[in-house]
Amino acid sequence: MRRALPALLVALFLTGCSSGPDAVDVNDGGEFRFVEATPTGEVIPPDERATAPEFSGTLLGGGEFSSTELSGDVAVLNFWGSWCPPCRVETPEFQEVYADVRDDGVQFLGLNVKETSEQFALAFVDRFGIEFPSLYDPRGEVALAFRDYPATAIPSTIVLDREGRVAAVYTGEVSQEDLRGVLDLVLGEV
């Protein structure tokens, strides 16, 4: 029985990570949750888009960042944590997409949330060879600025158009194919 209990707990946790409405709280405040992925995200028609909130913070490894640095480009904001199993799947795929589109007017920015140590986040970035920058947001302050979209579900991804408006929202793991399709769509807008 003692040997079976840890395996049972792991199985229950993993089942909860993909259970949609029955998402499992992953922190003491219960504000950040794993959620089931939206099948293809929610693409917002251009005439219905709201301007994204401005934000700033400290990058992993040091240095300051302001959302004004995204101006004029399409931007992919990915809210992640090293503690998040779906993030371990999608982050390397995001790196592949980033490598293909970074010279096409697309910026990627990771937003590392609810991390107990910056070293865990840096190890995650190093392990997966991530080249795009990430803000270190252990208290989730930037994520809460986007709470209407909802960035408090981890992982979440928000695509901004060239005008800094929210063009697409994903909760849960994003497929590389869907992300590429949305980027093609938003890049093609005049």
Side-chain angles (χ1 to χ4, degrees), residues 57-65 80 109-113 115 117-126 130 132-138:
T58 303
L59 294 168
L60 282 174
E64 295 301 310
F65 181 88
W80 65 276
L109 178 68
L111 294 110
N112 174 256
V113 297
E115 206 66 65
S117 165
E118 186 176 8
Q119 295 305 315
F120 292 137
L122 289 167
F124 181 92
V125 167
D126 185 53
I130 306 306
F132 55 85
S134 281
L135 282 181
Y136 181 56
D137 187 24

Side-chain angles (χ1 to χ4, degrees), residues 138-149:
R139 293 178 18 194
E141 293 169 347
V142 175
L144 291 176
F146 283 91
R147 68 182 154 265
D148 293 336
Y149 292 105

Side-chain angles (χ1 to χ4, degrees), residues 2 8 26 40 46 76-77 89 95 100 107 167 176 186 188-189:
R2 290 181 92 178
L8 179 61
V26 296
T40 56
V76 177
L77 308 178
V89 174
Q95 174 57 40
D100 291 343
Q107 294 189 52
Q176 187 177 133
V186 176
E189 295 173 353

Side-chain angles (χ1 to χ4, degrees), residues 88-109:
R88 294 181 201 132
V89 174
E90 79 175 0
T91 303
E93 292 186 2
F94 277 31
Q95 174 57 40
E96 289 179 29
V97 175
Y98 170 71
D100 291 343
V101 300
R102 64 179 158 205
D103 296 330
D104 298 333
V106 179
Q107 294 189 52
F108 276 57
L109 178 68

